[in-house]
Each structure stands twice: as structure tokens, then as C-alpha cells.
Amino acid sequence: MLVPDQASTKVVLYLHPRGKSAQAGIGGEMETLMKQGCTVIAPDLIGLPGEIGPGVVAKPEEGAPRLWYGYVLLGKSMVGRQMADVMRVVRFAQARFRVAPNELLGFARGECGPMLLHTAAIEGVFGKIALVEAPLSYRSLVMSPNYAPNYLTAAVPGALTAYDLPDLVACLAPRAVLFADPRDSLAAPAAVAVVAQEMAIATRAFASHPARLSVVLSADD
């Protein structure tokens, strides 16, 4: 937890796929947010590197992917388990800093994006969220013969029988959403046409408040 010298009502829940320490050092993203007057809270979550991560395993496939498959066998999802921990952190922030829902911000990078997106859509505890370099959709994963292996643990088994990630974005309207540099199934910057197609339902949902949905593509796209 990084707290600015001056008291602030803005609290950012920061989620990084390499764990809470990845951007906690001098010059990191967490410090940048703190210098902008935000209290930053970054947890380590089950299945991610860090103090309660997968630990030391002989093979990569015996870490988080094995845990993911274990939840599938139990009829559950790892994302759902992670959401429970995220909500514990949210309740801590609400109790410690008396933060109102519209003052709580969510920030997630990479494969942590779907976790934050599910929490925001289901629990309604964030006034704003920012997804940076997060997977664009689950559909893009199943439609590709190959996909980035690290995206496996961000998937909810059977989700596509009912919804996809852009549907969750649509559920957040009119709360503010920033989707910066969305990624395709190979974790490469998604093409402009693909982004437009996948995000169409979200764009329609924000039609009355278009400024509150920002999809920013990298300069190389």
C-alpha cells in the first residue's frame, strides 16, 4: 500500500500479473499514481506470482495452469476465487479510507484485466476502471488455433455460452472505462477492425455517454 503525504479520497486497486511488487519500486506505475494524489493498494492473489503465488514448481504447467484445471474439476473458476480476494481488499479500502464507490478506481494489466472486469460488473464497487494490455475477448482465444498460455488462467470455463468480456464492459455503462492497447489471442496489439467488431456491444451500451468509454490503441496499430 502506497499512501501520499497529503490525504486523498482517491483509492486505486492495482492488479499486476507479476504480483504486487512488479511496479512498486521507485519510478514504477504505483509510485506514479501515488504522486498524482492516489492511495494505491496492490494485493498478491492466488495463482499469480508473489508471496501467495504458485511457489517453486518443476515445470511451468504445474503452477497456475494446474491450479486453474483444479478449479475446473471442482466446477468452479480461478477467476471467481480471485474475485473473492479482490472484494476482501475492496472492503479493507472502504473501512480504512472511508472511500465511496465512485472514488474507488480499478487498474489492471494483462491477464488481470478479466478478473477486474468481472468484479466491476458483478459487484459494482468501482467508479472507474482501467484495463491496460488486457485480452480483448474470450472469443478471440477460442477462435485461434494458438493463444498466449498466460491467458488460460484468466478464462472462465463455459463463459462463452452466456457472455464475453465486451458484454461485461457494456454492463458497466455509464461508469467510466478505459481499455488501453487491448490484446489479441497471442497477446499482440489487437487490430483496429477486430477491436471495433468485438467492442460493438460495449459501444452501443455507452451510446448515451460515449466519453465514458475510451478504447485507446497503440501507435503501431
Side-chain angles (χ1 to χ4, degrees), residues 166-179:
D167 296 294
L168 298 181
V169 176
C171 289
L172 294 175
R175 284 170 285 173
V177 178
L178 168 64
F179 208 148

Side-chain angles (χ1 to χ4, degrees), residues 208-219:
S208 299
H209 304 86
R212 296 186 181 180
L213 174 61
S214 299
V215 180
V216 181
L217 304 182
S218 67

Side-chain angles (χ1 to χ4, degrees), residues 20-201:
K20 69 175 186 286
S21 299
Q23 288 290 328
I26 296 175
E29 285 179 338
M30 291 171 60
E31 184 189 49
T32 299
L33 291 168
M34 183 190 68
K35 287 183 175 180
Q36 294 175 359
C38 300
T39 294
V40 185
I41 303 175
D44 276 339
L45 301 176
I46 189 169
L48 300 179
E51 293 177 354
I52 58 171
V56 179
V57 293
K59 300 177 182 179
E61 62 269 21
E62 294 179 356
R66 190 168 188 173
L67 182 64
W68 185 87
Y69 282 114
Y71 279 110
V72 173
L73 292 175
L74 293 173
K76 300 180 181 295
S77 75
M78 195 163 83
V79 170
R81 178 62 184 83
Q82 292 169 329
M83 285 173 58
D85 284 345
V86 169
M87 285 306 301
R88 289 185 176 92
V89 179
V90 168
R91 287 192 288 270
F92 163 78
Q94 291 170 336
R96 175 72 177 270
F97 300 102
R98 307 296 180 186
V99 58
N102 63 339
E103 295 172 342
L104 183 60
L105 314 177
F107 182 103
R109 275 195 168 274
E111 54 267 36
C112 287
M115 182 205 319
L116 176 62
L117 193 51
H118 277 85
T119 307
I122 294 171
E123 301 291 347
V125 292
F126 297 101
K128 302 177 182 179
I129 68 167
L131 310 173
V132 181
E133 298 179 352
L136 180 60
S137 68
Y138 288 150
R139 177 181 177 276
S140 65
L141 303 184
V142 302
M143 294 298 290
S144 175
N146 300 299
Y147 56 84
N150 54 306
Y151 283 171
L152 172 67
T153 54
V156 174
L160 286 175
T161 61
Y163 70 94
D164 202 350
L165 299 179
D167 296 294
L168 298 181
V169 176
C171 289
L172 294 175
R175 284 170 285 173
V177 178
L178 168 64
F179 208 148
D181 198 10
R183 298 296 168 132
D184 63 17
S185 61
L186 297 177
V192 175
V194 174
V195 173
Q197 178 183 9
E198 296 282 11
M199 293 296 290
I201 188 170

